Amino acid sequence: MSLFDFRRMGPDLEKTARLLRRAALYGMVASMALVSACTVRPLYSSAPLSAGSTVSASAELASVAVKPVKTRYAQQVRNNLIFAFGQGAGEPPAPVYMLDLGVTELVESAAVVQIQTDEDEPTAGMVTLTANYVLTDARTGVVIATGKRSIPSSFDKPTQEFASYRAQLDAENRAARELAEMVSLSVAQDLVRHGKKA
């Protein structure tokens, strides 16, 4: 191409450059508008969960008591929740909120593979823990929120019976930790929503 050809393209290039600058400007304005609406903040900060509250987020979460449960895996979830809510301090002496927790378990074989025998032996399993919770005001008994969270955890099933049982218990413990984390985040979100209504 010669210099003459570039001169003929000049107005078109300027027009294209102007359109690109305009598009970039509109894109920046749109992204700034989206970012300004963002309300991300640290969960365990000293700032309150809701605008009208005078209590910090960590103090409000620490005021949640978890009702007793009956099964081993549910107790694991409960223990992890108490630790998460109180940040290691245990249960609150005078709870503001009560969390009624129901945990169910589903254990299933995830894979069936032939292993040097004529029989199909399951070699992998899956533990799924599901938590249903009801968050209530401890003084009035009014239901603030309900929710359901579920988490799967896989494990190997060796041929030795005790090793297989221990692997299932370890999977239950992993699932209980993860489920407690999910429920604690959900409860924090529920408390924020509840604070906005009040």
Side-chain angles (χ1 to χ4, degrees):
M1 288 186 132
S2 67
L3 183 61
F4 181 71
D5 291 332
F6 278 118
R7 284 185 187 160
R8 280 195 310 194
M9 292 175 49
D12 289 336
L13 282 177
E14 287 177 27
K15 191 175 186 180
T16 304
R18 248 184 304 185
L19 285 174
L20 285 175
R21 280 191 296 254
R22 227 179 249 165
L25 179 65
Y26 290 143
M28 281 182 32
V29 168
S31 65
M32 298 275 280
L34 286 174
V35 171
S36 70
C38 186
T39 60
V40 175
R41 60 184 166 186
L43 180 60
Y44 299 112
S45 70
S46 59
L49 279 176
S50 55
S53 179
T54 59
V55 180
S56 71
S58 57
E60 194 160 1
L61 286 174
S63 67
V64 177
V66 184
K67 290 184 179 178
V69 291
K70 296 183 185 212
T71 60
R72 190 199 78 77
Y73 50 85
Q75 185 64 42
Q76 288 289 326
V77 175
R78 180 178 184 267
N79 290 346
N80 285 303
L81 275 173
I82 291 169
F83 189 84
F85 288 148
Q87 296 180 351
E91 290 192 272
V96 177
Y97 306 102
M98 293 297 292
L99 186 71
D100 192 4
L101 186 66
V103 182
T104 58
E105 176 186 45
L106 173 66
V107 180
E108 55 192 349
S109 292
V112 178
V113 179
Q114 294 275 52
I115 304 177
Q116 300 176 346
T117 64
D118 293 337
E119 300 176 14
D120 287 339
E121 296 179 17
T123 58
M126 180 80 68
V127 172
T128 304
L129 292 183
T130 303
N132 293 300
Y133 70 89
V134 178
L135 182 66
T136 58
D137 189 314
R139 287 171 288 204
T140 63
V142 174
V143 174
I144 294 171
T146 60
K148 179 178 181 178
R149 298 291 181 265
S150 185
I151 190 86
S153 181
S154 61
F155 64 98
D156 289 335
K157 291 179 83 171
T159 55
Q160 186 186 20
E161 190 174 336
F162 178 76
S164 179
Y165 177 70
R166 184 68 238 178
Q168 180 178 332
L169 287 179
D170 290 344
E172 285 176 0
N173 293 341
R174 281 193 312 274
R177 276 193 310 272
E178 294 293 323
L179 187 58
E181 189 172 317
M182 289 174 67
V183 170
S184 68
L185 290 174
S186 295
V187 167
Q189 291 173 339
D190 293 336
L191 289 174
V192 168
R193 280 189 217 106
H194 175 66
K196 286 183 179 176
K197 290 178 188 174

